Amino acid sequence: MADTDELVNRVMGKLLDASNSGSKPATKNVGKTDLTEFVGTAPVGDTIGMVIANVDSELSKNLHLQSEFRSLGILSARTGAGPQIMAVDEAVKATNTEVVSVQMPRDTKGGAGHGSLIIVGGNDVSDVRRAIEVALADVPNKFGDVYNSAAGHLELQYTARASEACHFAFGAPVGKAYGLIAGAPAGIGVVMGDTALKAANVDVLSFASPAYGTSYSNEGVLHISGDSGAVRQAVIAAREVGLKLLGTLGEEPKNDFPSYI
Amino acid sequence: MADTDELVNRVMGKLLDASNSGSKPATKNVGKTDLTEFVGTAPVGDTIGMVIANVDSELSKNLHLQSEFRSLGILSARTGAGPQIMAVDEAVKATNTEVVSVQMPRDTKGGAGHGSLIIVGGNDVSDVRRAIEVALADVPNKFGDVYNSAAGHLELQYTARASEACHFAFGAPVGKAYGLIAGAPAGIGVVMGDTALKAANVDVLSFASPAYGTSYSNEGVLHISGDSGAVRQAVIAAREVGLKLLGTLGEEPKNDFPSYI
Amino acid sequence: MADTDELVNRVMGKLLDASNSGSKPATKNVGKTDLTEFVGTAPVGDTIGMVIANVDSELSKNLHLQSEFRSLGILSARTGAGPQIMAVDEAVKATNTEVVSVQMPRDTKGGAGHGSLIIVGGNDVSDVRRAIEVALADVPNKFGDVYNSAAGHLELQYTARASEACHFAFGAPVGKAYGLIAGAPAGIGVVMGDTALKAANVDVLSFASPAYGTSYSNEGVLHISGDSGAVRQAVIAAREVGLKLLGTLGEEPKNDFPSYI
């Protein structure tokens, strides 16, 4: 337990450092509450973290969870699914918790993409609280390669070692490198995907588009797996072509946090 | 028929009184039309009411109605499904009409929730027109416990005696008390639901979330039934925790019409 | 090949003429790119056209295309499905290409309707590029009977001779007249549809609404086929009633390009 705590503290310290290097404060100056269920917010995407120490059994049965647990941690956002899923992926690596639900509303407040509802389960409320704290702290980093313009957005994600959240949400093989390449409007994601696959030798997990594998969002999303160098190279090649294409529809797309890939 | 008319007039009088106590006019100062199909608008949610006296049979066959009727009444809105469904619930109690379709588009004009398309059927156009008039007049009241902020919204609904619209849309047992508890972003609805079920002894009908029982809206929605006092108590407990949680994402959520619960 | 080129040039000339008669420039003054994949943009709906000369085979397998082709042409937009589908309908008539995918995200940037992702296939990149050029040039014309207000929108489309895109997307019989009649919020589309069917003797292909045949958009959409005069008459009658109904929810709905029906 001491070892786990130390590991978690090291991970959180690193995440907070990275987050603070961005141009925005790590936490919004928002109204506080003394509710025990409230964990915190992230400074992007209207992202809120909460816990339920001992979930009502009737509620639990109706939540469509993969497995039932005594304690639930909840990460919920209006804007962003990929960043929050990647942040939870780090969080479950670092804590004794399990991903039990990943849902993607068609949201982004008038934008082209998804919001998110992610639930992790654990046998102890301190575990799930820690997981949500780790995830909240990491959300800004994982927005580092989200590029927005008035016309649409791009999202790139990369991890050298996918864990449970990427597996649950996107079918990524656990322990292997995983990459997400998204463009909106969706056609930009198709061309980005083609570019990625020509840039490096990687495995296609799936291609999501408005009618397949999204919640009718206006995104084309390639999910890839493979050798870490190749996945990263594919993601970077796709980013370059995506920025050019989305730029033809207006101003240059911008990220709000520093790129991490 | 005289009795029914009197009842309807009494119900409408009461609804209009309640509606006028709000801070907004009961009807928008909108462009008028002499179309016989037009019934009126409500002053919230871009809600419009219409009737078709004698529906084209080919259209009727393609509308996916639960039963076919000669006359159709239509309530349609950009923002709000719960308030309009609850308003139609009152309307069908008071008129000789039947709910034949309830559909929930993913709308709210960039918000996190649903709009609505509700169709009632009757054998006489005066019946369906009356139903739509009653529903339009009641819509503002049923927005009384909808609380909005820039980050999301809460919705609470309660009736001591559910009727056909609640049954059709949410599986509420007819004649029993029914409550709706919704929070957006969706995770807030999960915690509100847990709070509600711990506050009073009620039956869970279902829990709707982005991937289950919504049209990919960013809401967590608990539907409950049971003893009227218990249902009301559960709804009120959930409202309190919801207001605190949504408030952490920015300003205090506000309702545009007086609370009725 | 010379004949085809001449035909295409004539068609494009005509489309560009029609487009230029509108009040907006035919192409946005947007950032240019030297990417070979980029074809151009249309001045409405954040519409972008792209081509892939030789699509990666793994991507192709994952795109859910009706048939696989070496070269793909892509038309993708944030706002508008009908206009882009009708424009591609003209484009496939005029070029040696085939429609292989039509997807309708729930988009319109906070509006009530759809965006679009349309993919055409061909054996030669010059064919698919030409198809996308023709479609881009025609998009503004096909927005001629899209009427917007703050509360919603109407869309009317008409062709005397439907081709592959209308067939693929809406089940329109190829070679016959086809009409699309849409209103948002959805209930307005129901009344428009009823009006259309009483105005002329046409065949109902389907009626789409939030829960049936849309991507949860807030539209009621009647698809009709039949004699060209009758289809046109039905569409015009529906437009008149739709403008009156949508006008009751606020200001008069306006089209941004000249009506073509």
Side-chain angles (χ1 to χ4, degrees):
Chain A
M1 194 64 180
D3 281 8
T4 309
D5 278 0
E6 200 195 314
L7 175 63
V8 168
N9 289 336
R10 284 222 315 275
V11 169
M12 283 204 60
K14 216 172 136 191
L15 294 174
L16 285 164
D17 281 358
S19 164
N20 286 336
S21 71
S23 56
K24 303 210 172 174
T27 48
K28 269 189 179 171
N29 184 12
V30 292
K32 293 299 175 199
T33 173
D34 56 357
L35 279 180
T36 55
E37 288 88 349
F38 179 67
V39 176
T41 61
V44 56
D46 298 296
T47 307
I48 183 170
M50 293 161 288
V51 294
I52 298 175
N54 188 2
V55 65
D56 178 89
S57 65
E58 281 303 305
L59 181 67
S60 185
K61 274 187 234 162
N62 283 276
L63 284 178
H64 305 273
L65 306 176
Q66 186 168 260
S67 330
E68 294 201 26
F69 280 92
R70 191 172 186 278
S71 299
L72 300 181
I74 301 159
L75 193 71
S76 182
R78 293 292 307 279
T79 298
Q84 284 85 353
I85 290 165
M86 299 302 284
V88 170
D89 208 58
E90 301 293 339
V92 293
K93 280 181 201 170
T95 58
N96 190 21
T97 58
E98 206 172 287
V99 177
V100 293
S101 182
V102 176
Q103 301 181 40
M104 296 193 294
R106 174 68 186 87
D107 205 340
T108 54
K109 303 176 100 170
H114 293 116
S116 47
L117 172 62
I118 310 171
I119 306 181
V120 299
N123 294 317
D124 195 311
V125 66
S126 67
D127 289 336
V128 299
R129 177 178 289 274
R130 195 72 72 129
I132 296 302
E133 285 168 352
V134 172
L136 282 169
D138 195 30
V139 163
N141 307 322
K142 296 302 193 286
F143 267 92
D145 290 281
V146 174
Y147 300 84
N148 293 292
S149 76
H153 68 262
L154 312 174
E155 179 181 350
L156 295 310
Q157 300 290 353
Y158 164 77
T159 175
R161 190 168 65 84
S163 187
E164 264 193 58
C166 292
H167 177 67
F168 193 108
F170 307 128
V174 171
K176 287 186 71 175
Y178 162 76
L180 178 157
I181 292 160
I188 292 177
V190 177
V191 176
M192 290 168 73
D194 186 68
T195 304
L197 296 177
K198 286 168 177 165
N201 186 19
V202 295
D203 297 326
V204 175
L205 299 173
S206 66
F207 187 86
S209 54
Y212 302 96
T214 70
S215 305
Y216 298 109
S217 78
N218 200 340
E219 298 172 299
V221 190
L222 181 67
H223 300 284
I224 55 176
S225 182
D227 168 73
S228 66
V231 169
R232 195 166 172 275
Q233 191 179 329
V235 167
I236 288 170
R239 179 174 58 191
E240 194 177 343
V241 70
L243 287 167
K244 286 184 184 171
L245 288 171
L246 184 52
T248 66
L249 284 168
E251 78 274 17
E252 196 189 341
K254 295 283 186 196
N255 52 345
D256 289 333
F257 295 90
S259 166
Y260 79 92
I261 304 173
Chain B
M1 194 63 180
D3 280 7
T4 310
D5 277 0
E6 200 195 315
L7 175 64
V8 167
N9 289 337
R10 283 221 316 276
V11 169
M12 282 203 63
K14 216 173 135 191
L15 295 173
L16 285 165
D17 281 356
S19 163
N20 286 336
S21 71
S23 57
K24 301 209 173 174
T27 48
K28 268 188 178 170
N29 184 13
V30 294
K32 294 299 175 199
T33 173
D34 56 356
L35 279 179
T36 54
E37 287 89 350
F38 178 68
V39 177
T41 61
V44 55
D46 297 297
T47 307
I48 183 170
M50 294 163 287
V51 294
I52 299 175
N54 188 2
V55 64
D56 180 90
S57 64
E58 282 303 305
L59 181 67
S60 185
K61 275 188 234 161
N62 283 277
L63 284 179
H64 304 274
L65 306 176
Q66 185 168 263
S67 328
E68 294 203 26
F69 280 93
R70 191 171 186 276
S71 298
L72 299 182
I74 301 158
L75 194 70
S76 182
R78 293 293 308 278
T79 297
Q84 285 84 355
I85 290 165
M86 300 301 286
V88 170
D89 208 57
E90 301 293 339
V92 292
K93 280 181 201 170
T95 58
N96 190 22
T97 58
E98 205 172 288
V99 178
V100 294
S101 183
V102 176
Q103 300 181 40
M104 296 193 293
R106 176 66 187 88
D107 204 340
T108 55
K109 302 177 102 169
H114 293 116
S116 48
L117 172 63
I118 310 171
I119 307 181
V120 299
N123 294 318
D124 194 312
V125 67
S126 67
D127 289 336
V128 299
R129 177 179 289 272
R130 193 74 70 128
I132 295 303
E133 285 169 351
V134 171
L136 282 170
D138 195 30
V139 163
N141 307 322
K142 296 302 193 289
F143 266 92
D145 290 282
V146 174
Y147 299 84
N148 293 292
S149 76
H153 68 262
L154 311 175
E155 179 180 351
L156 295 310
Q157 300 289 354
Y158 164 77
T159 176
R161 191 167 65 86
S163 187
E164 262 194 59
C166 291
H167 178 68
F168 193 109
F170 306 128
V174 171
K176 288 186 71 176
Y178 162 77
L180 177 156
I181 292 160
I188 291 177
V190 177
V191 176
M192 290 168 72
D194 186 67
T195 304
L197 296 177
K198 286 168 177 165
N201 185 20
V202 295
D203 296 326
V204 176
L205 299 173
S206 66
F207 187 86
S209 54
Y212 302 96
T214 69
S215 304
Y216 297 107
S217 78
N218 199 341
E219 298 171 299
V221 191
L222 181 68
H223 299 285
I224 55 175
S225 182
D227 167 72
S228 66
V231 169
R232 194 164 173 275
Q233 191 180 329
V235 167
I236 288 170
R239 178 174 59 191
E240 195 177 342
V241 71
L243 286 168
K244 285 183 185 172
L245 288 170
L246 184 52
T248 66
L249 284 168
E251 78 274 16
E252 196 190 339
K254 296 280 186 198
N255 51 344
D256 289 333
F257 294 90
S259 166
Y260 79 91
I261 303 174
Chain C
M1 194 64 180
D3 280 7
T4 308
D5 277 0
E6 199 195 314
L7 174 64
V8 168
N9 289 336
R10 283 223 314 276
V11 169
M12 283 204 60
K14 217 174 136 191
L15 294 173
L16 285 165
D17 281 357
S19 164
N20 286 336
S21 70
S23 58
K24 302 211 173 175
T27 48
K28 268 188 179 169
N29 184 13
V30 294
K32 294 298 174 199
T33 173
D34 55 357
L35 278 179
T36 54
E37 287 88 351
F38 179 68
V39 177
T41 61
V44 56
D46 298 297
T47 308
I48 183 171
M50 295 162 287
V51 294
I52 299 176
N54 188 1
V55 64
D56 179 89
S57 64
E58 281 303 305
L59 181 67
S60 184
K61 275 187 233 163
N62 283 277
L63 283 179
H64 306 272
L65 307 176
Q66 186 168 263
S67 330
E68 295 202 27
F69 280 93
R70 192 171 185 278
S71 298
L72 300 182
I74 301 159
L75 193 70
S76 182
R78 292 292 308 278
T79 298
Q84 285 84 354
I85 290 165
M86 299 302 286
V88 170
D89 208 58
E90 302 293 338
V92 293
K93 280 182 200 170
T95 58
N96 190 22
T97 58
E98 204 172 289
V99 177
V100 293
S101 183
V102 176
Q103 300 181 40
M104 296 194 293
R106 175 67 186 88
D107 205 341
T108 55
K109 302 176 103 169
H114 293 117
S116 48
L117 172 63
I118 309 170
I119 306 180
V120 299
N123 293 317
D124 195 311
V125 67
S126 66
D127 289 334
V128 299
R129 177 178 289 273
R130 193 73 71 129
I132 296 302
E133 286 169 351
V134 171
L136 281 169
D138 194 30
V139 163
N141 307 322
K142 295 301 194 286
F143 267 92
D145 290 282
V146 174
Y147 299 84
N148 292 292
S149 76
H153 68 262
L154 311 174
E155 179 180 349
L156 295 310
Q157 299 289 354
Y158 164 77
T159 175
R161 191 166 66 84
S163 186
E164 263 193 60
C166 291
H167 178 67
F168 193 108
F170 307 128
V174 172
K176 288 186 70 175
Y178 161 77
L180 178 156
I181 292 160
I188 292 176
V190 177
V191 176
M192 290 168 72
D194 186 67
T195 304
L197 296 177
K198 287 168 176 165
N201 186 20
V202 295
D203 297 326
V204 176
L205 299 173
S206 67
F207 187 86
S209 55
Y212 302 95
T214 69
S215 305
Y216 297 108
S217 78
N218 200 342
E219 298 173 299
V221 191
L222 181 68
H223 300 284
I224 55 176
S225 182
D227 168 72
S228 66
V231 170
R232 195 165 172 275
Q233 190 180 329
V235 167
I236 288 171
R239 178 173 60 191
E240 194 178 342
V241 71
L243 286 168
K244 285 184 185 171
L245 289 171
L246 185 51
T248 67
L249 284 168
E251 78 275 14
E252 196 190 340
K254 296 281 185 196
N255 52 345
D256 288 333
F257 295 89
S259 166
Y260 80 91
I261 303 173

